[in-house]
């Protein structure tokens, strides 16, 4: 991969998957999008997407200066998995498609669904630490 010419360099890409695509995966995508400054292509999806993003996850992210209010839960597709270099699952179990040759990670995180802000903050902070580690593994310097 060329680091001198951004027009020919291919960006690393990551897909975050959880069941509802309303909390954990959306927070992870928000952190990666923000901290990579656009240097990583970011996707998120759910095996059974919710109607809307978890408002407590939105509130927790706003506390960090990251606005995910415009995001919508999306259904997981084979195409999203195929197009991603790294697939990070968060409790979607057997619903996550598996493709040989893809890098998979499973992040065991508590589900923020139905929890108050005091319970969601530690989940958010754990996700931020994991995203920063992922950035380092991808060779991308965080912007903040």
């Amino acid at each position: 991969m060329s680091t001198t010419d951004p027009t020919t360099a291919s960006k690393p890409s990551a897909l975050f998957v959880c069941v509802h695509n309303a909390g954990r995966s959306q927070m992870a995508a928000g952190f990666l999008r923000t901290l990579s400054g656009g240097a990583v292509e970011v996707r998120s999806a759910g095996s059974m997407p919710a109607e809307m993003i978890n408002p407590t996850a939105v509130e927790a992210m706003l506390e960090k200066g990251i606005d995910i209010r415009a995001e919508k839960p999306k259904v997981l597709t084979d195409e999203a998995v195929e197009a991603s270099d790294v697939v990070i699952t968060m409790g979607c179990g057997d619903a996550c498609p598996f493709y040989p040759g893809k890098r998979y990670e499973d992040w065991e995180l508590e589900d923020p669904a139905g929890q108050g802000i005091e319970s969601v903050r530690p989940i958010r902070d754990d996700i931020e630490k994991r995203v920063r580690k992922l950035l380092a593994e991808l060779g991308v310097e965080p912007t903040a």
Side-chain angles (χ1 to χ4, degrees), residues 77-112:
T77 65
D78 288 350
E79 293 77 25
V81 176
E82 286 184 75
S84 301
D85 297 318
V86 182
V87 179
I88 296 161
T89 58
M90 304 170 176
C92 66
D94 294 337
C96 294
F98 180 82
Y99 288 91
K102 291 286 172 196
R103 175 179 159 195
Y104 286 86
E105 285 185 28
D106 186 51
W107 291 359
E108 289 193 28
L109 297 160
E110 199 174 333
D111 189 346

Side-chain angles (χ1 to χ4, degrees), residues 7-130:
T7 58
T8 59
S10 64
K11 280 195 223 185
S13 58
L15 169 65
F16 296 101
V17 183
C18 66
V19 176
H20 300 299
N21 190 221
R24 296 166 288 189
S25 57
Q26 292 285 1
M27 288 191 285
F31 275 123
L32 186 57
R33 206 173 280 115
T34 300
L35 294 173
S36 74
V40 177
E41 192 173 334
V42 182
R43 299 177 182 86
S44 72
S47 52
M48 296 184 327
E51 292 293 312
M52 58 182 268
I53 289 204
N54 177 337
T56 311
V58 170
E59 180 185 350
M61 292 300 284
L62 284 170
E63 291 179 353
K64 289 286 195 168
I66 299 172
D67 188 351
I68 60 171
R69 286 178 287 200
E71 298 300 322
K72 303 277 185 254
K74 294 169 281 309
V75 71
L76 177 63
T77 65
D78 288 350
E79 293 77 25
V81 176
E82 286 184 75
S84 301
D85 297 318
V86 182
V87 179
I88 296 161
T89 58
M90 304 170 176
C92 66
D94 294 337
C96 294
F98 180 82
Y99 288 91
K102 291 286 172 196
R103 175 179 159 195
Y104 286 86
E105 285 185 28
D106 186 51
W107 291 359
E108 289 193 28
L109 297 160
E110 199 174 333
D111 189 346
Q115 299 199 48
I117 191 71
E118 295 299 325
S119 299
V120 173
R121 283 182 186 125
I123 300 168
R124 173 204 63 200
D125 294 345
D126 187 9
I127 291 170
E128 180 180 9
K129 284 184 196 128
R130 292 170 187 248

